[in-house]
Amino acid sequence: MQLIAWRTRNISNKNFLILASIIVGIIAGLAAVFLKSLVHFIEGLAAGFGDTSNENYVFFIFPAIGILLTTCYVQFFRNGKLGRGLSNILYSIARKNGRVHRDKTYSHIISSALTVGFGGSAGLEAPIAVTGSAIGSVSATFLGLSNRERILLLACGTAAGVSAIFNSPIAGVIFAVEVLLPEMTVSAFIPLIISSATAAVLSRALHNQQLFHLITDGWEPESVPLYIVLGIFCGLVSVYITRMTHKTEEWIGKNKSIWKKAIAGGFVLGALIFILPPLYGEGYGTIDHLLNGRYENLLDNSLFYDLKNYPWFLLLFGGVLILVKVFATSITIACGGNGGIFATSLMTGALCGFFCVYSANLTGIVSFNETNFIATGMAGILSGVVHAPLTAIFLIAEITGGYVLFAPLMIVSALAYFTARFFEPHTVYTKKLAEKGVLTDKDKDKAVLRKMGLRRTLEKDFLPVKPNQCLGEIIPVISKSKRNIFPVLDEKDILVGLLSLNQIREIMFKTDMYDKIHVYQIMEKSFPVVEIGEEMVNVVRKFEDYHVFNIPVTEKGVYKGFISKSNIFTTYRNLLIKESEPLSSL
């Protein structure tokens, strides 16, 4: 392309990456502002119905409408394919060199706006992160950048999306580093910072609204024991969230009827929201009520509104919400909606903080600042669910203005992280990938092996023979081959054995044996085999376990070729050199 050629001649890679990160930041920032505005517009339409002191039947109907509309959009306009959640982005980084399909630059905006705007119990952070990553990936491909630079711009788009949706540029950068680029070099920080800052400035200019307002004079040293309890409690709840999300989506996924899931799930979600109205939407309204001490507002629009003046019932109600919110989010997503677990984590964390400090204060023995615990609880759950403690600390500090709480935020986030990691080594994003064996590994060797792919190292110049052929019939095949191994295939190309030159060396010159010995009599029937979709980590382990240099590759038993130890290591070396190159000399 002429544009790429002109850029190569006139702009250095260093300057061009910075320019590209600014462009990605602008586009991702605009996308985030548009998504927030669209969701707020749809939410505004529903806000005019009902009275807060009475049951609101709109809460029963609207979530079902949102899931059905999202399902219609995905089925009729996206051919049933959407790819929800950050798991798909992690997969793209691990296996596709950061290539994300261009339709994700807008499909997640539309689908998540329909879901969340109509009250689906999920957040917008994952959809905007996916949108931002797609913007970065598509931009890099259009500009002719390398694979590593594409992955960096993908991360820039994600950082910009998170930054713009929360107005939190530092958290956007740290999130991209902790979740997407754990092996990132210092040189990649510059584009990430620029992209995230650009999106934050744009978002604040077009949508100048602080998500939460935290008013605190500081924290009490004597409250540290309760912060420790809160950190461990958040870690255990994080494990519950991760496993419940996985189990619920797995259970709902067994039903293959898309429309039945959408209809049934929509009305189950509606029923849950009718009973527990705080489950409606992202949950930021609930967090705002908690931070401002308006605990009685948790019962607005509910059947239990008349019990709002009973503190112990408010505590019980908050405990039930902790358990049910993740279930409502899982139903929203698994039944056809689109959204993320991020907002759910923040709301659940606020409820955990409220539950701990409010129950302690109700005893009358202590009197701690409840707002501080609600804010730090948000960081605790986010840290435990996403396994990103630094993101949790800086995000809560930025969106609440609670920088004075850094010490409690660090205590709760760290304890929640280590507690969650002890019981659940994978995050809500990586659990499925780990089970499928495609998890991006922080081990450099394994990470490079996962990127290789088996097909790129496949060798197909091994000449096959048939099991019923006699020795005399295969001598011409042996004379033409440059290999000393011959796959034995039946009529359907099923691999039934291996024949090596060493096995026939002593008899191949005995012409009197040519008609008496057949391949099936001398072929090897027990040998290691690799399936075409097998992980390269497992393939390397087979070479070590069986002490061989070549292993046949099959696809459901059908022979496809061989993979050799030397070819694997050559490809590995080339990839490792490429991975170690400095990023555009930044």
Side-chain angles (χ1 to χ4, degrees):
M1 291 178 62
Q2 293 182 350
L3 176 63
I4 296 174
W6 179 87
R7 188 270 296 178
T8 304
R9 291 193 306 269
N10 295 279
I11 307 177
S12 67
N13 277 347
K14 175 181 178 179
N15 293 333
F16 187 73
L17 259 183
I18 293 174
L19 179 62
S21 67
I22 295 173
I23 295 172
V24 169
I26 292 173
I27 300 173
L30 289 173
V33 171
F34 176 73
L35 178 57
K36 284 195 289 186
S37 301
L38 183 58
V39 170
H40 290 166
F41 172 75
I42 297 173
E43 286 177 339
L45 296 178
F49 294 87
D51 175 24
T52 58
S53 63
N54 297 308
E55 307 88 57
N56 195 339
Y57 292 94
V58 168
F59 289 159
F60 185 87
I61 300 171
F62 268 31
I65 293 174
I67 290 178
L68 279 172
L69 288 175
T70 305
T71 302
C72 289
Y73 169 73
V74 173
Q75 295 302 314
F76 297 137
F77 295 95
R78 299 260 54 83
N79 295 320
K81 298 178 181 179
L82 184 62
R84 298 167 176 82
L86 283 175
S87 300
N88 293 281
I89 302 305
L90 293 171
Y91 181 84
S92 297
I93 293 173
R95 292 301 184 80
K96 298 181 179 180
N97 290 314
R99 294 184 186 276
V100 181
H101 201 276
R102 68 172 67 91
D103 67 11
K104 292 189 187 300
T105 57
Y106 59 87
S107 60
H108 281 262
I109 292 178
I110 298 171
S111 55
S112 63
L114 291 171
T115 299
V116 180
F118 279 97
S121 191
L124 298 173
E125 297 74 26
I128 198 59
V130 173
T131 301
S133 67
I135 290 169
S137 175
V138 172
S139 299
T141 301
F142 175 76
L143 296 171
L145 299 180
S146 67
N147 290 337
R148 291 194 70 211
E149 291 165 338
R150 182 189 300 108
I151 291 174
L152 176 59
L153 279 193
L154 179 153
C156 285
T158 302
V162 172
S163 171
I165 208 79
F166 284 119
N167 280 331
S168 54
I170 298 176
V173 173
I174 296 175
F175 177 78
V177 173
E178 282 193 298
V179 178
L180 300 182
L181 300 177
E183 300 174 32
M184 189 199 71
T185 58
V186 175
S187 62
F189 262 108
I190 299 173
L192 281 172
I193 291 171
I194 292 173
S195 186
S196 184
T198 301
V201 170
L202 190 63
S203 175
R204 188 169 291 274
L206 298 178
H207 198 278
N208 187 18
Q209 182 179 349
Q210 182 72 20
L211 195 57
F212 306 116
H213 296 278
L214 177 65
I215 301 174
T216 181
D217 296 325
W219 58 282
E220 312 92 340
E222 57 270 20
S223 63
V224 169
L226 190 57
Y227 281 119
I228 293 174
V229 172
L230 176 60
I232 296 171
F233 179 54
C234 286
L236 295 174
V237 173
S238 298
V239 174
Y240 165 76
I241 290 174
T242 300
R243 294 182 178 176
M244 177 60 74
T245 300
H246 187 67
K247 291 294 183 183
T248 303
E249 292 182 0
E250 192 177 64
W251 172 63
I252 294 175
K254 293 178 180 179
N255 189 332
K256 301 303 180 182
S257 174
I258 295 170
W259 299 107
K260 284 183 180 179
K261 284 194 295 186
I263 295 171
F267 283 106
V268 169
L269 178 63
L272 286 174
I273 293 174
F274 180 72
I275 298 170
L276 303 169
L279 299 178
Y280 187 88
E282 297 172 276
Y284 291 147
T286 298
I287 297 173
D288 191 56
H289 291 325
L290 292 172
L291 287 174
N292 288 281
R294 300 190 300 266
Y295 308 140
E296 69 279 358
N297 288 125
L298 292 177
L299 303 181
D300 285 352
N301 301 115
S302 77
L303 302 169
F304 315 105
Y305 185 79
D306 293 335
L307 299 173
K308 65 179 182 178
N309 295 320
Y310 293 87
W312 287 105
F313 184 80
L314 287 173
L315 187 65
L316 175 63
F317 193 78
V320 173
L321 286 174
I322 291 173
L323 298 176
V324 180
K325 176 62 177 176
V326 63
F327 183 61
T329 300
S330 300
I331 291 175
T332 300
I333 299 171
C335 289
N338 187 21
I341 198 74
F342 222 90
T344 296
S345 300
L346 295 180
M347 176 179 163
T348 306
L351 289 165
C352 286
F354 161 74
F355 188 85
C356 281
V357 70
Y358 199 60
S359 57
N361 286 347
L362 281 178
T363 63
I365 300 174
V366 295
S367 179
F368 295 135
N369 186 321
E370 295 170 350
T371 302
N372 292 353
F373 281 85
I374 292 167
T376 52
M378 292 162 65
I381 293 296
L382 186 60
S383 174
V385 170
V386 185
H387 289 186
L390 290 177
T391 299
I393 292 168
F394 282 97
L395 177 65
I396 301 308
E398 283 189 289
I399 65 177
T400 64
Y403 289 97
V404 72
L405 296 177
F406 257 123
L409 285 170
M410 293 167 70
I411 293 171
V412 174
S413 295
L415 286 173
Y417 170 75
F418 285 115
T419 303
R421 281 292 298 264
F422 180 81
F423 292 102
E424 183 56 68
H426 303 295
T427 73
V428 72
Y429 300 132
T430 60
K431 191 171 178 65
K432 285 183 180 179
L433 295 178
E435 292 179 352
K436 294 178 181 178
V438 295
L439 180 64
T440 303
D441 205 302
K442 293 184 180 181
D443 183 294
K444 186 70 175 179
D445 290 332
K446 291 182 179 179
V448 174
L449 283 172
R450 292 186 196 281
K451 290 181 180 180
M452 285 173 58
L454 199 150
R455 293 182 187 273
R456 69 190 299 174
T457 56
L458 200 60
E459 300 174 51
K460 299 183 178 182
D461 59 340
F462 290 77
L463 301 181
V465 295
K466 300 294 183 183
N468 292 323
Q469 285 183 304
C470 60
L471 182 61
E473 292 175 318
I474 65 171
I475 291 298
V477 178
I478 295 173
S479 64
K480 293 178 183 178
S481 176
K482 297 179 181 180
R483 302 283 192 170
N484 62 357
I485 297 179
F486 304 88
V488 183
L489 311 180
D490 65 9
E491 293 77 10
K492 296 181 179 180
D493 287 338
I494 300 295
L495 181 67
V496 295
L498 292 181
L499 183 66
S500 70
L501 199 58
N502 291 333
Q503 290 173 289
I504 59 174
R505 195 182 302 277
E506 295 182 0
I507 59 173
M508 64 183 298
F509 297 109
K510 297 179 180 180
T511 56
D512 58 319
M513 304 291 290
Y514 279 13
D515 296 327
K516 298 179 181 179
I517 297 178
H518 292 78
V519 172
Y520 69 85
Q521 295 175 299
I522 55 177
M523 69 180 186
E524 189 175 350
K525 299 178 182 178
S526 178
F527 48 86
V529 177
V530 170
E531 268 293 310
I532 196 71
E534 198 164 342
E535 287 293 309
M536 289 302 296
V537 175
N538 296 334
V539 174
V540 171
R541 190 176 295 117
K542 284 186 178 181
F543 277 110
E544 295 174 352
D545 293 342
Y546 290 94
H547 304 288
V548 293
F549 291 95
N550 296 283
I551 299 179
V553 179
T554 61
E555 185 172 15
K556 295 180 180 180
V558 178
Y559 170 76
K560 292 297 179 181
F562 272 81
I563 186 168
S564 68
K565 183 185 290 188
S566 61
N567 197 15
I568 286 178
F569 288 137
T570 300
T571 306
Y572 169 84
R573 180 175 176 274
N574 293 335
L575 271 176
L576 191 62
I577 292 172
K578 194 172 182 179
E579 289 283 322
S580 303
E581 291 175 352
L583 190 60
S584 296
S585 303
L586 275 178

